Structure formats: C-alpha cells, structure tokens
Amino acid sequence: MTNFSSAADDSSNYDLPQFETRLRRARLGLGVGVVGIVMVFVSFASAYVVRQGLPTLDPRTNTLVHDWFPLPLPWLLFFNTGVLLISSLTMELARREVARNIPPARVVSIPAVSAVQERTIFWLAFTLLLGLAFLRGQWVVWRELAASGFYVATFPSSSFVYLLTGMHGLHLLGGVLALLVAASASLLPGPVESRVVVVDVTGWYWHFMALLWVCILCLLTLVR
Amino acid sequence: MATGEFAAHEAHAHAAPQGFIRKWVFSLDHKVIGLQYYFLALTAVFVGMFLSLLMRIHLIWPGMSLPFFGEIKPEVYLSLLTMHGTIMVFFVLTTAPQGGFGNYFLPIQIGAADMAFPVINMLSFWVTFLAYIVMLSAFFVTGGAPLHGWTGYPPLSALPSAGPGQGLGADLWVISIALFCIGALMSALNFITTTLDMRARGMSLMRMPLTCWAWFITAILGLLAFGVLLAAGILLLLDRNAGTSFFVPLVTVNGQLAGHKGGSPLLWQHLFWFFGHPEVYIAILPAMGLCSQLVSVFSRKPIFGYRAMVYAMLSIGLMGFMVWGHHMFMSGMSPYSAFAFSVMTMAIGVPSAIKTFNWLGTLWGGRIRFSSPMLFALGFVSLFVSGGISGPFLAQPTLDIYLHETYFVIGHFHLIMGVASIFGIFAATYYWFPKMFGRMMNESLARWHFWFSLVGTYCIFMPMHYYGMAAGLRRYSQSTEVAYIHNLLPLQKFITFAAFITIAGQFIFLFNLFWSMKFGKKASDNPWEATTLEWTTATPPPHDNFAGRTPVINNGPYEYGVPGAPRDYVMQTEPLTVATH
C-alpha cells in the first residue's frame, strides 16, 4: 500500500550521492555557513560605527569628549591585500583545473567548471604560499603597530584594527587548513569527484575571505 | 540478499558503526546525536530546576543553611539566578527541541538517510557538550559563578573586580556562551542544508510536516542570531582580559578607576537583544510546530490552515528580528524608537493569534483523543495564550517602565517561553518515545505528570504577575527588609510550596522515562495512527532510517478523516486514491 522505491531505482537520496548532488550540497552548506560568518563581522562593523560616535567623560574637565582617534594604518596592509587578491586568482585557477578528470558530460551543468588540463596541485600550493604570506604580512602589521605604540587597548580604533584583522586572520587560517585538505585530496589516490568537491568549496571559501578582507579594509580606511 | 545489502550500505554516507565508542559516543548518526542532545538537556533541566529550588527556599527562609551552599548570601543568590537562567535558556530550551528532537526526526520526516553533514553534526553536539561543562565548572572556581544574570550586562559582566563571581567564573561563562554559539551555528548549517537539499521525491516544501517547517525556520533564526551573540561575546572577553573599552565607560569600582573609558553598555544590550529576542522564538517555534502536528493527529482532522501556519511562523521569525528594543525601554531610548519597537512587538500578536485560532479551529469538531502527547500539546496552547496575553502589557513603554524590574516579567516569560517550551518537550517525548525506544510510556503516570505540571505551573507563575503588579522586585534575594514587599511574603510562600510540588511531579516523568525504556509496553510501528514518514519505518528506525528504501511522497502530512478512505488517515507515502482536503 505504501509507496517506496528501492535504492537501485532512485538515486536521489539513498545512492552514494551523485557528483552533482554532492557538489550542490557542499556549495549550499558553504553558502549557509558564510551567512553565519557574515553576521559575526556585521556585528563587529556595527559596533565599530557605534563606538566611533560615542562620547566619553573627561574626569579632568568633567565634560563629554570624543576618544576616537583614526589610527595611521601601515602601508603593508595594502600590500597584503594585493597578495590575498592574487591568491584568490590562483585559487580560482586551481578550482577550474581540478574539474579536468571529470567526464565533460557530468560537469556541463556546473557553472564555472570546465574541462582543461590538470595543474591543480601547482595552483593550490601557490595559493597556500600566498595565504601564508598574507598571514605573515598581517603579523608584521601588528608588530609595526605595536612598535608605534598602538596596542590593543591604546585607542578604541586600535582595538578594532586588532580585532578585525585578528578575526579575519583566524578565519583565513581555517581556509589554509582547508587548502591543506584539498591538496592532500589532490595528491592522494581517491575518487576524482571528492577531489573536485573539496577544491571547489575551498575555492569559494577563499574568495569569500578575500572579499571579506576588502570590506574590512574599506571600513578601516573609509570610515575613520 | 546481496542487492539489498549493497543498497543499504550505499544508501548512507557512512556505514553503520559497530563499536560502542563510534556507535554511542562519537556517533555520526543523527538519531544518536539527537538522543545525546536530549539527555544533555535532561541533565541540564534538573540542574536548572535544582538552582531555582534553592532560590525559592532562600526567598522565604532567608536565614536557612542549605546543603553545599550554607546560608545563601545575596551574591550567591545572584549567581544561582545567573546560572539558572543561562542553563535553562541555552542548554534546555535551545538544546532539546532543536538539537534533540530536530536532529532525530527532521531527516526521517523529510525522507532523508541522515543530516547533510554528519561530521559537522557530531562536532556541533560535542562543542555544545564542552560548552555545558565549561558553564558548570564556573561553580567550582575561585569566587564561584558569575552574578550578572543570563543577559550579562556590562559594566558588571566586564569588570573582574566587580564582584566575587566576576573573575574566572565570568570568563568561563563568556567562553561557554561563545562555544555554544559555535555549536549552534554548525547545527543551523546542517538543518538548513538538509531541509533544502535532502527531501525525498514528492516532499515539496508545502508537504513538509509543520515540525520540519518549525525546525527549518528556527535554524534560520539561529544562523542569523548566534553569530551576533558570538561577536558580542568576543568583544566582552576582550574588555575583560585585554583592557579594551567596547562596553565599559569610565567607571569606578570600590572608589578606584577601572581603567576603561568611552565604551557603551548599551552597545552590548543592542547586540545581546538582537540575539536575545529571536532566541525566544528559537525556543518556542519547535514547540509550535510540534503542537500543530499533535493537535491534528489527536483530533483526527487536517490542520486548520496549513499555509497560514507556515506563513505565520515565517512572519514571527522575521518580525522577531525587529523588536529587540522592547527589552531596552528602561535604557533611556528615544520615545520615537520606543514607539516603533512597541508597535512592531504588538504586531507579532497577529501571526501568534493566527496560530492560536488555527489550533482551536483544528480542535473544533474533531474526534479528540486525550492521550498524553495531546494533553501536553493542549497545555502548551493554554500556556502560550496565558503567557502571551501579558506580552502587550510589557510591549508598551509606559507600562514597562513600571513593570520591568518586577516579577511580572518573570511570570510572563516563564509562562510563554520557559514552561510552554518545556511542555513542547514533554509532548514530543511522549509522542516520539515509542519510535525512539520501541516501547510505550506509562499513560497513567503521564497523566499524573501532566496535571502536576499544568496546575503547578499556573500556581507558580500566575501569582508572580500579581506580585509584580504590587511592585515586588525581581533579582532581590530577600523581601524581608522592605515593608511593602515583606507584606507580600505569603504570596512568595505559596509560590515556593507550589514549586516544591511541581518539581516533585517531574520525578514522575523521570521515573516513567527510564522505567518505560525497559518495561514499557511494546510499541507498534505506528501507535498513534499518524501519517508522517517516521511512522512508516521500523521501530526504532534502522541506521539509514528506511532500510535501503526511498519513500516517495504523494500526500500532505495531515490527511485525517479523509472521506472514502479505508481508514481515517492516509500515510504520506500512500497513493492518493481518494479525495483530499
């Protein structure tokens, strides 16, 4: 009476998911996760704007004064931005390259994936190096700020610079780990489909990290 | 049969685990993870209840020496209050309905083999468990648990020197909340992806049971809200430990400048309540979905206004993000802002009323079966209305200024958010216990439990409204020092005795739960004659939920009393051979 189909004649759910299904599901999951991360940074950004406009009491004069001083941002921050944007480009090359081993008929419906010669591991390694260079660069920015006398608690603006760069760096570190997983998947024997899914999702996350950093930099430089 | 076995193994993203550790501890199976969440919440609710009992005893016998705590000082009372609220809101009301029952039944009800990302699902539970342990550990560190209430308002929460529990205890509190947020975000990711991408063939969105809609909308709220609380928690940790001034203004503690300046406690309030108000719906929406389900099943009628129910839940979820300011009427906000928040808050009454009338419309003319799940579902409706009716009072700034610091607020939110959600958890337990454990719970004990709980709840929380209207102040550890409050002591005594009896009644539930697992009557696959997918599979469900088969959905979830059908219900998987509603 009840209506069931066996696993053999219905692959929508109970088969090992088809490649397209796995890719779609992974991308959807990433998209949902990105919304959660965006909410964290939107909260920081709104706190930044609110805190910037708040007056504070000066106990010496007993008057309300503004304690927000724009922080002089090191130029290295912009160089780091360039590094991250280039890494986003190399990641995109890796993402497109990895689809080579998938028969064209199976990838034809996937946007932005085409069949070309595999050089994935090269581009992944390049991206990884650039990502680490970015993180190293951000660390040097912190050192420069500290050398200039700007610590986490010196000014509210310095608090936010450390906070936003630190939180972004932490999330990018997650991307570095994902890159390592993607590189391992590309080196080790295993289903090609799994490799494509891992590299694809890592790629989109990496692009999001680059976009997020550009937004943070705009906030720090334009809303001072 | 080789083909069958092959299908069963391929059906699932991971094979059925064999060892105890993989099967019951670090399990990837959504059903086991659901049970883990459920039993975590069960221990948490008894801890939370015990703390409330200590508070109630202290309120009427302030000088009494209590086990473990001795004579309760005001600061200890505040720490009990803080931990009671935090544990109940996060580790019970957020954990059991969504993490527990949602994890167990969402995949089954949409015809999936598991959650979309089983590893993330497992991680989300263990991060939540870690958060719970960190939270409890605050009791055992120097200074004890924090005093700042479950809302953690700075400057109190941001200054380690502000009180005995504000040192390491408060750090642990913030870290626990941050961990909980991470777990909740991972959980939300899974719920949303699973609902959108893993529904069986024929399971359109508008054929999903209302429970699934509720879990789905709750997950969206969680995704948008917990990120904000996480950000606020990080800022608070920095204020506490790195000397920043996000939330702390120029302030002195014991005559000494605290070393901060320029921060805004109101900034915390905005961030916290942007999370905090949706959190109310995170707690209650799953209960709403379940209540809709049960009212239909046990009235043997289709739910009245299925689409209206869906749109009402969506509206409640959306509007829940626009009303956080009503928690801050006392903060000196602009009257224009207060007016906007007030109007929007009262507007939430519209979808809430739609839901209530639809529940009543479903009951009307039904052949009602007063089984234990139905009793608790009706109890939920009763509490939702009783607690909700005081909402419009508090939504008006002029009234709220008088009532805000009184027990009126305590009575209001315990009825509508606390106990109503708990009734949803009880209803879900009695309803799904046969599917989860293969046995029925004892019905007589369940009825005793229901009447103890319903009558007890009203005896505890209705008098609080009157106590509040008489200006009985909340958060005060004693009412003996102020004459006009002291005159209300008999009311406090009545509430405490009611709490004794109600809490005693909960042990009936606890006994029934564990006794029935072992000795309950064997359950059939579909003891309630319900239509949704969990009742089409074996009891308890196999590892891949449907033993290698894929359900194909032909009907909506509430086909009861179908004219011309051989039975008074049509399963969702049955071919549609008769006229439907």
Side-chain angles (χ1 to χ4, degrees):
Chain A
M1 196 59 183
T2 49
N3 197 356
F4 285 87
S5 64
S6 71
D9 60 23
D10 177 26
S11 61
S12 64
N13 205 357
Y14 279 83
D15 269 344
L16 190 66
Q18 296 275 342
F19 168 68
E20 290 85 353
T21 307
R22 291 174 62 195
L23 188 61
R24 187 188 65 230
R25 191 167 297 162
R27 282 180 176 180
L28 178 61
L30 178 76
V32 175
V34 160
V35 172
I37 297 172
V38 164
M39 288 308 292
V40 174
F41 281 90
V42 164
S43 307
F44 288 144
S46 68
Y48 179 92
V49 173
V50 169
R51 182 66 182 81
Q52 198 175 34
L54 286 178
T56 184
L57 187 72
D58 183 345
R60 290 166 301 184
T61 61
N62 210 25
T63 54
L64 288 174
V65 295
H66 282 273
D67 64 345
W68 184 276
F69 300 101
L71 202 66
L73 295 173
W75 277 103
L76 183 58
L77 219 48
F78 299 94
F79 177 77
N80 292 345
T81 305
V83 171
L84 190 60
L85 289 176
I86 293 170
S87 79
S88 190
L89 187 68
T90 57
M91 186 68 231
E92 180 61 15
L93 291 171
R95 197 182 69 81
R96 288 170 184 248
E97 288 275 344
V98 77
R100 278 167 181 265
N101 294 334
I102 305 291
R106 301 193 66 179
V107 295
V108 73
S109 62
I110 306 167
V113 171
S114 60
V116 281
Q117 199 57 40
E118 163 126 55
R119 273 183 304 222
T120 312
I121 195 67
F122 169 75
W123 291 121
L124 282 178
F126 203 12
T127 309
L128 187 62
L129 282 176
L130 289 170
L132 291 172
F134 174 82
L135 288 174
R136 169 73 186 162
Q138 296 292 78
W139 175 252
V140 174
V141 166
W142 279 18
R143 298 278 300 270
E144 281 186 20
L145 285 173
S148 308
F150 299 116
Y151 297 97
V152 176
T154 308
F155 294 120
S157 52
S158 67
S159 303
F160 275 103
V161 169
Y162 280 101
L163 170 77
L164 291 167
T165 52
M167 287 304 294
H168 176 265
L170 203 61
H171 282 82
L172 194 84
L173 201 60
V176 167
L177 292 176
L179 270 176
L180 289 171
V181 172
S184 310
S186 299
L187 285 171
L188 298 173
V192 176
E193 288 88 348
S194 300
R195 193 183 311 167
V196 176
V197 171
V198 172
V199 173
D200 186 87
V201 171
T202 306
W204 286 116
Y205 181 74
W206 199 263
H207 296 330
F208 166 62
M209 281 293 109
L211 180 65
L212 181 63
W213 172 249
V214 170
C215 293
I216 290 170
L217 192 67
C218 287
L219 183 73
L220 294 177
T221 52
L222 301 178
V223 188
R224 290 167 62 80
Chain B
M1 197 168 68
T3 310
E5 284 174 15
F6 178 74
H9 282 287
E10 278 208 340
H12 210 278
H14 49 91
Q18 301 303 319
F20 179 82
I21 299 287
R22 293 293 307 278
K23 191 171 181 180
W24 294 110
V25 183
F26 297 110
S27 175
L28 298 176
D29 186 340
H30 70 100
K31 297 183 286 297
V32 176
I33 294 169
L35 289 173
Q36 288 173 324
Y37 269 115
Y38 181 78
F39 284 107
L40 170 68
L42 191 67
T43 60
V45 78
F46 275 87
V47 171
M49 212 162 55
F50 174 67
L51 299 179
S52 68
L53 191 63
L54 293 179
M55 285 190 284
R56 291 306 321 169
I57 291 171
H58 174 74
L59 279 169
I60 63 168
W61 295 303
M64 181 184 276
S65 184
L66 295 168
F68 306 115
F69 290 90
E71 186 181 335
I72 293 181
K73 296 175 184 169
E75 59 269 28
V76 176
Y77 180 85
L78 287 177
S79 70
L80 294 174
L81 176 153
T82 301
M83 297 299 274
H84 166 77
T86 308
I87 288 172
M88 288 298 204
V89 169
F90 289 98
F91 297 100
V92 179
L93 301 180
T94 310
T95 298
Q98 185 80 358
F101 292 108
N103 246 312
Y104 199 113
F105 286 104
L106 174 76
I108 307 181
Q109 286 199 331
I110 62 170
D114 205 322
M115 282 287 191
F117 307 110
V119 175
I120 293 178
N121 203 18
M122 178 187 72
L123 283 175
S124 65
F125 169 74
W126 283 106
V127 171
T128 307
F129 179 78
L130 182 64
Y132 182 53
I133 298 300
V134 171
M135 182 62 70
L136 289 182
S137 66
F139 276 119
F140 305 103
V141 296
T142 309
L147 321 176
H148 52 232
W150 85 275
T151 53
Y153 278 7
L156 179 58
S157 64
L159 299 173
S161 55
Q166 294 309 115
L168 183 55
D171 275 327
L172 291 169
W173 184 89
V174 184
I175 291 167
S176 169
I177 295 299
L179 285 170
F180 187 91
C181 290
I182 293 167
L185 286 170
M186 288 194 286
S187 178
L189 187 160
N190 242 327
F191 273 76
I192 293 170
T193 310
T194 304
T195 308
L196 290 179
D197 200 54
M198 295 183 71
R199 300 191 309 278
R201 194 196 305 164
M203 181 63 84
S204 60
L205 286 173
M206 285 300 170
R207 277 181 176 170
M208 287 202 305
L210 287 167
T211 41
C212 296
W213 268 108
W215 289 318
F216 178 52
I217 296 167
T218 302
I220 295 172
L221 296 191
L223 183 74
L224 299 176
F226 279 108
V228 179
L229 183 63
L230 177 60
I234 291 167
L235 296 180
L236 187 57
L237 266 182
L238 288 172
D239 270 5
R240 292 181 54 78
N241 297 297
T244 56
S245 299
F246 297 114
F247 301 132
V248 193
L250 188 75
V251 65
T252 58
V253 180
N254 298 325
Q256 301 285 320
L257 277 172
H260 300 264
K261 64 173 184 176
S264 169
L266 284 182
L267 177 57
W268 166 270
Q269 291 194 26
H270 280 291
L271 291 172
F272 181 85
W273 286 116
F274 188 85
F275 147 80
H277 198 78
E279 167 61 25
V280 172
Y281 300 114
I282 288 170
I284 202 154
L285 274 173
M288 286 181 174
L290 181 82
C291 179
S292 309
Q293 178 92 359
L294 297 189
V295 164
S296 177
V297 172
F298 291 96
S299 297
R300 313 310 295 168
K301 274 182 67 186
I303 190 75
F304 187 90
Y306 174 90
R307 281 177 184 268
M309 289 299 228
V310 172
Y311 295 137
M313 280 196 284
L314 285 167
S315 310
I316 288 171
L318 180 68
M319 293 162 85
F321 279 105
M322 302 176 187
V323 297
W324 78 92
H326 72 219
H327 296 272
M328 300 168 59
F329 287 150
M330 299 285 282
S331 68
M333 68 164 57
S334 151
Y336 298 108
S337 301
F339 176 75
F341 281 122
S342 173
V343 169
M344 187 55 79
T345 302
M346 285 190 274
I348 292 188
V350 175
S352 303
I354 288 172
K355 295 196 74 67
T356 305
F357 285 119
N358 282 2
W359 289 323
L360 298 180
T362 308
L363 290 167
W364 185 262
R367 287 172 290 118
I368 300 175
R369 299 173 179 176
F370 287 104
S371 304
S372 49
M374 180 62 158
L375 290 177
F376 277 96
L378 295 175
F380 168 84
V381 177
S382 166
L383 292 166
F384 182 70
V385 172
S386 307
I389 214 83
S390 55
F393 289 72
L394 296 169
Q396 298 178 55
T398 44
L399 279 174
D400 184 66
I401 286 169
Y402 177 80
L403 293 169
H404 189 84
E405 291 300 335
T406 73
Y407 268 78
F408 190 93
V409 175
I410 308 294
H412 162 72
F413 75 69
H414 272 87
L415 279 183
I416 194 163
M417 177 197 178
V419 189
S421 300
I422 295 273
F423 266 52
I425 296 169
F426 284 140
T429 304
Y430 286 113
Y431 181 62
W432 278 315
F433 185 92
K435 185 54 63 179
M436 293 191 291
F437 299 105
R439 292 179 184 273
M440 305 295 290
M441 290 184 80
N442 183 289
E443 191 66 14
S444 301
L445 290 176
R447 285 168 190 277
W448 278 104
H449 174 225
F450 170 73
W451 288 111
F452 264 103
S453 300
L454 187 76
V455 176
T457 294
Y458 274 115
C459 287
I460 294 169
F461 296 112
M462 286 308 280
M464 285 189 185
H465 291 80
Y466 298 106
Y467 192 83
M469 283 191 280
L473 296 170
R474 59 174 166 149
R475 298 199 184 97
Y476 277 35
S477 72
Q478 289 185 31
S479 57
T480 51
E481 301 294 320
V482 185
Y484 83 91
I485 302 180
H486 188 59
N487 292 337
L488 299 169
L489 195 58
L491 204 55
Q492 286 284 30
K493 284 186 175 170
F494 176 79
I495 294 171
T496 296
F497 291 134
F500 281 148
I501 295 168
T502 311
I503 288 174
Q506 304 318 303
F507 286 94
I508 299 174
F509 168 75
L510 200 63
F511 172 78
N512 195 1
L513 184 75
F514 289 106
W515 184 86
S516 300
M517 280 183 201
K518 185 84 175 164
F519 302 107
K521 193 176 74 177
K522 289 261 187 192
S524 63
D525 284 346
N526 188 4
W528 310 117
E529 299 184 303
T531 60
T532 45
L533 292 184
E534 73 270 33
W535 306 108
T536 62
T537 189
T539 296
H543 176 65
D544 66 352
N545 293 342
F546 298 97
R549 301 176 302 165
T550 304
V552 178
I553 314 307
N554 295 303
N555 305 308
Y558 302 112
E559 297 297 341
Y560 295 99
V562 180
R567 296 170 304 193
D568 81 331
Y569 63 101
V570 181
M571 305 297 289
Q572 282 198 276
T573 48
E574 284 178 343
L576 197 58
T577 55
V578 291
T580 59
H581 298 265

